[in-house]
Amino acid sequence: MSLVASGVGLALAHLAPWLTAAPQASPVASPTPSTFGANVIGFSFLLSLIVWAPVLMAVVTAILPQPRTGQTRAYLGIAFWTNAGVVALTIIGYTQFQNYTSGLLFEERLPWLPSLGVTYHLGVDGIGIALLLLNGLVGIAAVLASWDVRERGRTYFALLLVTQAAFSGVVVARDLFVLLLFWAAATVPVVLLVAGWGGARRRALATRLLAYWGVGTAALLAAVLLLYTAAGSTDFDLDTLGKVVPSSRLGTIIGVLIALAAITRLPLVPFHTWARDVLAEAPAGIVVLVAGATSRLGGYVLVRLLAGIEHDISRTLAPYLGALAAVTVIYAVLAALSTTDVRRLAAYLALVPGGLTVLGVAGLTPLSLDGAVLLLFAGGLASALIAGSAATLSERAQARSLGLAAGLAGRMPKLSWLLLVGCFAVLGLPFLATFSSGLMVFLGTFRTQPAAAFAVAAGLVLAAAATARLMHRVVFGAPNPDAPAPVDGSLADSWYLGILVGGLLWVGLLPSGPKLFGITILDPGLVNVVNTTTADLASAYATSPSPSPSPSSTASPPASPTPSPTP
Amino acid sequence: MSLLATGIALAASAASTASAAAQGFKFDPASTLPWAVPAIVGAPVLGYVLILGSVRTRRAAANVAFLTLLVQLVATLLVAWARFRQPSPYQASYQWINIPVAFTGDQRFQGFGIDLSFQLDHVALAALVAVLVTLLCCAAWHRVAARGEQGPVRFQVNAVLLALGAAGVLVSGDAAELLAFWLLAGLATYLLLGHRWGTEGAGQRSRIALAVPFVGDVALLCGVGLLYSRFGSLTWNNLYPALTTTLGVGQKSLTAAALLLFAAVAVRACIWPFTAWLSGTVDAPAASVAMAAGVWPVLAGSLLLRTLPIVGAAGIQAPRGAAYVLGLAAVAGPALALVGVELRRSVLLATSGAVALTLLGMIYPASTLVAFTGLLAVALARTGALLAATTAAAAMRTVDIRAMGGAWSRMPRTAAALLLASVAVALGGLSGAALRPRSLAWIALGAGLALVSLAIFRVYFAVAHGELRRRRAFEPTRVRDAANVVTGAAVAASVMGLLGAALSFFTGWVGFLAAGRHDVAAVGTLVLWTLLPLAGAAIAGAVVLRQRDAGLELGARLGERLGAIWDLAGSAFDGLLSRPGQRAVDVVEDVGLPAVEQGVGRALAGSGWLAGRRLPWVPAVLGAAIVLAVAFGLLSSQGLGR
């Protein structure tokens, strides 16, 4: 008994400084707090809780006694409430951001492997909190999408929770070694999920996924080690390594390796075959998780490690990334136009937001980078929505061919409308989150990469043709009398897709948050929160001012639209 | 967000009105501006939520939608009353996004903001009235004439969404805001045109209605993006002065931006060769087609008005290119209307020529506002013509104009609506054309005026006059006019169109739209130009009334030939471009990439196999040396050692 008491006392003694510490506020560029309630809550181990609570609950799930076959609701409940808790914690963190604050919040730093210079260093900025929010929303959606998982439910939900924990770990890690560990750790549960529940060709899918993600992980490992060596540092901290300016040749190699890691996971063409197969074959829960969250880590690494710290290399690689983005968007929609499989078509369309994100990174202007980060959030939701709704719809319609799963709007109105919204989200129609983020990407990119921006825009026209084809057949067209009887989505389906639509609509309608008398309430606005970090990150890419107009050239604004030359 | 502020303003306004009422009625319309202006966009939002959230019956949905449009119209008229004597625009804006994206570099690009801004001048108000009258006429017509249409609630929801998008486009003072509402209106149009679910035709229609106009929408996005990338502003008021004062922006960029914006105008105005998205969807619900056909030309014209300063600043190439395209469309559209005998397609193509004529007139500074008035007239008349034509087609149970006739005696109100609409369409481009006697454009304007008149009156004479023949299971004596509301809607739209066409001849009206000096065509010139539409109408009357069967049969045969050519072109596109492209993608996806993956996999497996064997040492050492040399070359002193 006394042993327990002394153990608890020791633990409390260790926890005391954490509990009493205020959130470590960052350097403030401009002291203008504009969000009601910002910086009020002190919670210095918030990030550890967000990362490790799902792991703990995964362990609990794994050691719970096995109920009768097929009764997996208890595991689903654990996964759901864990995710709900994580979302609540993330929202607490999110509301603490205020306009014009740069730097990290909720920082934690503990020495871990001093001999290697590895520190357990966590922290979150505007980019990170947006992705944590995405992870929370996608996590809940993935759990609800797994409502019908009956087979080996315990393992399934435990792996789901571990995947989410790994995602959060990558996002909040400020030490590259820790980031790499979480990055690699995210591979294992996803591969196991695909290998266990990935449909008839699950082994082949899992092998392909492992191969691509393995290459990406190896590339990131090599990049981190090269950066570490180039720095001559004994420290893996992102802040330290971020100040390293390697030679152009080494820098190029590091940049290419980081880009390779990113584009295998996001993914871009020609590294997309795993995504095509997983999104077209796996059950809806895995599809939502992969399309919505884990694949977005590629974009995150691109923003954080390439654009964020390797400025010169980013400039060198930008045209190639722009070209790759254009190729991805155009190729994906051409492939979507040629397939007759509903799920494959949706899987190809789900690649489009990734291409747009990379275009934003390639733009390397403050606005395009802002848009790219926002698109990580919006694109994740859009990809998850279109791939998830196609998976659920084809399952409920008991058909996945465009010929059979046809004319479903009248018989499956809920799922048809949700698929429709997913298509609109991929196209970036207003007032969904992909509109504002896509617009920022385009407006920013036209300054530096006009050719790539035009090419991606042309790809969007083709994407409209592809989505029109999908909707023509599946939603509006004539039903096939030989098709099996379809059943509309269940309540769980409506909820999980509704959460994704809700996220898209909330940020799409109120990107700067709701305001009352000009003061932001409830939500500081995702655009503002993301911008707290990207404004600093992107300052390196802000171009020099153009010559100001000479005083003599003072043409007055035309009062009425009257052009001078006549044809 | 701004709801509370609006509510407070509303209460204050009501209180002031009430206190004024206590001292005798003294209503100041300017006091309504704080709530009337947001109501123009806010009412459809509320209507949309109401119908979507709580209405389940056909009548209730129709009533709420009608009421929403009515509220919008009343708010617009109130604003027009308040701003009647003030030529400067009423401006109000609310921040939607406002972020400092960078702290260094070019000042123009350090911040980014999109405003929900309202800029209401007389031009915008006139356009709003035209759009809302169009939508109200269509809604009234649909309420009675399309009782049996599927998805009544869905239809009204989409109609209200179109009203929201259209109002947003017309009042927007910010290019990004305009783009957002433009896309929203496009989305509503797509849903309206693909309204009839469950048939192959509906699916096909929806496909055309999304994919084809999206080309123009993306062109608008690119144009706005290009402008922002050069001038760092999305607000029209800041953009126009910057066009001539910003150094480092060449004519090439401006020309590209102007042409991209013009492409958006041309595609959405549905002029030839972009008519397919409406002419290919004519069997959608008639009210949907009429709404799209009436609303989009006005929105396109409004965008062209905003684009004109950019077109002007771009030099001679952009306006010249636009003029050529519009001139060609003004002739080709009505010429194609003469080919074929499908009623609504003929009306749409004929009126597309009138739209192109007015847009062409708008490009010339002297006739910009005159032609814009003509455009509003054509848009309204087009709606009236489509509604009247559909009413006649429903009564005569055919859309083939060869089998129609006698509407003047059997359906006088419908025939009158069609006649009024035809006159308005034929005269819509006249006032603008009459101001261009010395320009080379007179060739296109003259030919266009004559052809438009010929094409639209051909339809009128075929439907209204001649004998309505007995057919299998069709008794001509039973044909009679539709309910008053149905014909009334068509007549109202046509009369408003005619009124617009008449207004375009009055300098007072043009002066009301924008202050300043405005050119007027001399009476003699006007009379001379009027001969062209008159000639067109006379030829149409002569051909249809005297040689009805032969004339219409010739059109039908030419239409079949044209259809065959289109099929051939479609097959050629499929065979030469689409299928090879799909095959190439399939080869890459199913053969190329798996082969590469297998190759890499085999190589890795082979390397594992090699690792387990004893290798001949000389080649192994040589190979290792080459690999090391390459590695060290890459990571030489300039590399790792920095």
Side-chain angles (χ1 to χ4, degrees):
Chain A
M1 194 65 193
S2 62
L3 196 67
V4 173
S6 65
V8 170
L10 195 63
L12 281 177
H14 275 88
L15 282 174
W18 284 21
L19 287 166
T20 50
Q24 294 176 21
S26 36
V28 175
S30 164
T32 318
S34 66
T35 312
F36 176 75
N39 258 348
V40 172
I41 297 169
F43 208 159
S44 62
F45 55 96
L46 182 94
L47 299 181
S48 282
L49 207 56
I50 287 174
V51 174
W52 295 110
V55 176
L56 184 70
M57 296 316 287
V59 172
V60 170
T61 307
I63 60 174
L64 267 183
Q66 177 81 42
R68 278 184 295 166
T69 316
Q71 293 190 347
T72 54
R73 288 287 181 269
Y75 305 130
L76 189 140
I78 291 172
F80 178 82
W81 288 112
T82 307
N83 270 300
V86 165
V87 169
L89 289 174
T90 308
I91 288 172
I92 288 173
Y94 176 72
T95 52
Q96 297 312 296
F97 278 81
Q98 57 184 31
N99 288 353
Y100 310 116
T101 302
S102 57
L104 296 174
L105 284 186
F106 305 106
E107 216 172 344
E108 298 171 35
R109 196 193 288 264
L110 288 174
W112 183 26
L113 299 170
S115 56
L116 284 176
V118 179
T119 321
Y120 177 77
H121 184 190
L122 307 183
V124 69
D125 55 10
I127 302 173
I129 201 75
L131 286 175
L132 285 182
L133 210 56
L134 171 72
N135 189 31
L137 289 177
V138 167
I140 290 184
V143 171
L144 289 174
S146 311
W147 192 264
D148 292 332
V149 171
R150 303 244 187 274
E151 203 183 331
R152 288 165 287 146
R154 180 160 64 174
T155 321
Y156 179 89
F157 287 108
L159 289 172
L160 216 63
L161 286 171
V162 172
T163 310
Q164 286 181 257
F167 180 99
S168 302
V170 173
V171 170
V172 300
R174 300 298 300 175
D175 185 287
L176 274 184
F177 192 88
V178 179
L179 186 148
L180 194 65
L181 279 183
F182 280 120
W183 173 275
T187 309
V188 181
V190 176
V191 169
L192 289 176
L193 278 169
V194 173
W197 291 265
R201 292 169 49 227
R202 56 180 182 264
R203 295 254 165 99
L205 297 191
T207 310
R208 183 171 272 161
L209 177 69
L210 183 62
Y212 277 104
W213 285 25
V215 167
T217 306
L220 190 61
L221 171 67
V224 169
L225 289 178
L226 282 176
L227 204 60
Y228 180 73
T229 316
S233 162
T234 53
D235 195 348
F236 276 98
D237 202 278
L238 200 54
D239 300 331
T240 314
L241 294 184
K243 289 172 188 144
V244 177
V245 185
S247 71
S248 65
R249 200 175 297 177
L250 181 66
T252 307
I253 293 171
I254 292 171
V256 168
L257 288 170
I258 292 172
L260 184 65
I263 62 182
T264 48
R265 193 161 292 202
L266 195 53
L268 295 194
V269 171
F271 303 100
H272 67 286
T273 50
W274 69 264
R276 174 199 66 193
D277 291 348
V278 169
L279 300 188
E281 303 294 336
I286 299 174
V287 165
V288 168
L289 191 70
V290 171
T294 49
S295 60
R296 300 301 120 186
L297 285 179
Y300 173 75
V301 158
L302 213 53
V303 172
R304 177 74 77 201
L305 299 187
L306 191 65
I309 60 175
E310 300 296 346
H311 303 138
D312 294 338
I313 307 162
S314 299
R315 285 194 189 95
T316 311
L317 292 180
Y320 304 104
L321 285 175
L324 212 53
V327 167
T328 299
V329 173
I330 292 172
Y331 181 85
V333 292
L334 283 177
L337 280 168
S338 74
T339 186
T340 53
D341 183 325
V342 176
R343 291 197 58 181
R344 251 193 176 205
L345 206 162
Y348 283 124
L349 288 176
L351 299 179
V352 172
L356 278 171
T357 307
V358 174
L359 178 72
V361 177
L364 285 184
T365 58
L367 187 59
S368 75
L369 285 168
D370 239 332
V373 175
L374 206 59
L375 203 53
L376 280 177
F377 177 87
L381 292 180
S383 296
L385 181 61
I386 191 166
S389 56
T392 307
L393 186 131
S394 58
E395 194 184 319
R396 301 285 177 212
Q398 303 177 63
R400 47 187 296 169
S401 133
L402 284 175
L404 279 177
L408 298 174
R411 292 176 294 169
M412 303 172 70
K414 275 192 280 184
L415 284 175
S416 299
W417 277 110
L418 289 163
L419 179 71
L420 213 62
V421 178
C423 290
F424 295 151
V426 167
L427 290 180
L429 292 188
F431 286 86
L432 298 166
T434 40
F435 171 73
S436 42
S437 48
L439 186 66
M440 286 162 82
V441 164
F442 271 107
L443 295 182
T445 311
F446 267 110
R447 277 176 70 198
T448 49
Q449 305 282 342
F454 273 118
V456 171
L460 278 184
V461 173
L462 291 172
T467 52
R469 181 164 171 261
L470 177 68
M471 292 186 277
H472 161 204
R473 292 285 175 204
V474 177
V475 181
F476 298 127
N480 188 333
D482 300 330
V487 182
D488 204 359
S490 65
L491 192 64
D493 296 337
S494 305
W495 268 102
Y496 98 77
L497 293 169
I499 286 169
L500 300 174
V501 174
L504 282 166
L505 273 174
W506 179 259
V507 177
L509 285 169
L510 302 165
S512 295
K515 292 186 180 76
L516 197 65
F517 300 114
I519 298 169
T520 308
I521 51 158
L522 297 171
D523 170 13
L526 196 69
V527 170
N528 298 326
V529 168
V530 162
N531 189 59
T532 56
T533 307
T534 43
D536 277 353
L537 181 147
S539 286
Y541 302 107
T543 52
S544 57
S546 63
S548 56
S550 61
S552 59
S553 59
T554 48
S556 59
S560 62
T562 47
S564 47
T566 47
Chain B
M1 177 166 45
S2 60
L3 264 182
L4 195 77
T6 312
I8 290 167
L10 183 70
S13 156
S16 70
T17 312
S19 63
Q23 303 154 6
F25 184 72
K26 196 175 164 190
F27 179 67
D28 179 14
S31 68
T32 64
L33 285 174
W35 59 267
V37 171
I40 294 172
V41 175
V45 173
L46 198 65
Y48 183 83
V49 173
L50 264 178
I51 302 175
L52 202 65
S54 59
V55 176
R56 288 288 169 271
T57 63
R58 181 183 68 84
R59 280 187 181 206
N63 288 343
V64 176
F66 201 82
L67 190 68
T68 302
L69 295 171
L70 218 52
V71 169
Q72 269 187 293
L73 185 62
V74 169
T76 306
L77 293 175
L78 269 176
V79 177
W81 185 9
R83 306 293 296 174
F84 191 75
R85 294 191 186 285
Q86 287 159 354
S88 61
Y90 176 81
Q91 290 180 332
S93 64
Y94 309 90
Q95 277 183 7
W96 189 51
I97 294 177
N98 185 20
I99 46 172
V101 289
F103 302 118
T104 55
D106 193 336
Q107 272 190 349
R108 288 173 302 166
F109 298 102
Q110 285 185 8
F112 174 72
I114 300 176
D115 289 343
L116 184 62
S117 72
F118 299 93
Q119 190 165 338
L120 280 153
D121 50 10
H122 291 174
V123 173
L125 287 166
L128 263 171
V129 170
V131 162
L132 291 169
V133 168
T134 299
L135 291 172
L136 277 166
C137 289
C138 292
W141 188 92
H142 185 84
R143 193 174 194 274
V144 179
R147 274 195 219 101
E149 187 69 51
Q150 62 163 261
V153 178
R154 181 160 43 90
F155 178 88
Q156 303 297 349
V157 163
N158 294 331
V160 170
L161 194 64
L162 179 61
L164 170 64
V169 168
L170 294 175
V171 304
S172 65
D174 185 291
E177 179 197 3
L178 183 140
L179 176 67
F181 282 113
W182 183 275
L183 289 172
L184 199 68
L187 173 67
T189 307
Y190 161 64
L191 293 172
L192 280 168
L193 293 178
H195 179 76
R196 283 180 188 153
W197 292 352
T199 59
E200 186 54 28
Q204 195 66 35
R205 272 195 308 275
S206 71
R207 203 163 158 172
I208 298 170
L210 177 65
V212 176
F214 202 70
V215 177
D217 300 346
V218 170
L220 177 60
L221 167 69
C222 292
V224 171
L226 205 56
L227 284 174
Y228 179 79
S229 69
R230 297 297 180 268
F231 302 103
S233 175
L234 287 168
T235 317
W236 298 112
N237 284 343
N238 295 338
L239 195 63
Y240 296 149
L243 291 173
T244 45
T245 55
T246 308
L247 296 183
V249 180
Q251 297 262 308
K252 214 188 277 181
S253 304
L254 276 172
T255 304
L259 289 179
L260 283 165
L261 294 175
F262 175 72
V265 171
V267 174
R268 277 300 186 181
C270 193
I271 58 170
W272 190 85
F274 307 106
T275 44
W277 71 270
L278 264 183
S279 66
T281 59
V282 286
D283 51 346
S288 304
V289 179
M291 278 180 188
V295 169
W296 274 108
V298 180
L299 302 191
S302 170
L303 176 61
L304 186 61
L305 272 182
R306 290 175 168 95
T307 309
L308 284 177
I310 300 161
V311 173
I316 195 70
Q317 279 185 339
R320 188 176 280 169
Y324 287 151
V325 170
L326 290 169
L328 188 63
V331 176
L336 282 172
L338 298 172
V339 173
V341 285
E342 210 280 340
L343 178 67
R344 286 167 298 180
R345 179 183 164 277
S346 300
V347 172
L348 276 169
L349 284 172
T351 50
S352 80
V355 171
L357 275 177
T358 51
L359 290 176
L360 179 58
M362 281 174 66
I363 290 184
Y364 298 96
S367 59
T368 299
L369 292 171
V370 170
F372 183 70
T373 310
L375 178 70
L376 300 183
V378 169
L380 281 158
R382 194 183 205 194
T383 307
L386 278 167
L387 294 179
T390 313
T391 310
M396 297 178 193
R397 294 187 198 167
T398 180
V399 287
D400 187 337
I401 54 174
R402 284 175 300 180
M404 301 176 98
W408 194 248
S409 55
R410 297 177 197 282
M411 308 175 71
R413 291 197 301 270
T414 306
L418 197 56
L419 175 63
L420 291 172
S422 302
V423 172
V425 167
L427 297 181
L430 182 65
S431 51
L435 285 168
R436 309 299 326 144
R438 281 187 221 98
S439 163
L440 265 183
W442 72 267
I443 302 170
L445 290 166
L449 273 174
L451 277 169
V452 165
S453 179
L454 174 62
I456 193 72
F457 275 103
R458 169 178 171 261
V459 174
Y460 164 73
F461 283 118
V463 173
H465 301 283
E467 187 192 354
L468 179 62
R469 290 169 194 154
R470 183 170 287 115
R471 301 191 304 272
R472 188 181 166 86
F474 174 71
E475 181 52 56
T477 50
R478 289 185 184 169
V479 172
R480 65 175 76 91
D481 235 332
N484 283 343
V485 176
V486 174
T487 51
V491 170
S494 305
V495 167
M496 287 295 286
L498 203 56
L499 186 69
L503 280 175
S504 67
F505 295 101
F506 291 100
T507 45
W509 167 256
V510 184
F512 167 73
L513 287 182
R517 198 182 69 81
H518 296 286
D519 293 345
V520 200
V523 178
T525 316
L526 207 56
V527 169
L528 272 177
W529 277 87
T530 313
L531 291 177
L532 289 164
L534 277 178
I539 293 169
V543 170
V544 177
L545 295 177
R546 286 175 182 271
Q547 300 283 330
R548 183 185 170 94
D549 289 343
L552 294 178
E553 198 55 45
L554 179 67
R557 244 179 282 139
L558 285 172
E560 281 165 19
R561 292 263 168 88
L562 189 71
I565 291 170
W566 267 113
D567 289 345
L568 202 68
S571 313
F573 175 79
D574 263 5
L576 297 173
L577 216 71
S578 178
R579 262 185 235 145
Q582 286 183 3
R583 228 173 289 140
V585 171
D586 287 345
V587 166
V588 173
E589 279 293 286
D590 300 333
V591 182
L593 288 173
V596 172
E597 285 172 352
Q598 276 177 14
V600 173
R602 279 204 194 114
L604 289 172
S607 64
W609 175 78
L610 280 175
R613 290 177 66 87
R614 176 176 289 176
L615 296 173
W617 67 273
V618 176
V621 168
L622 270 177
I626 290 167
V627 171
L628 284 173
V630 170
F632 276 108
L634 287 172
L635 309 173
S636 60
S637 55
Q638 290 174 346
L640 270 179
R642 277 184 290 152

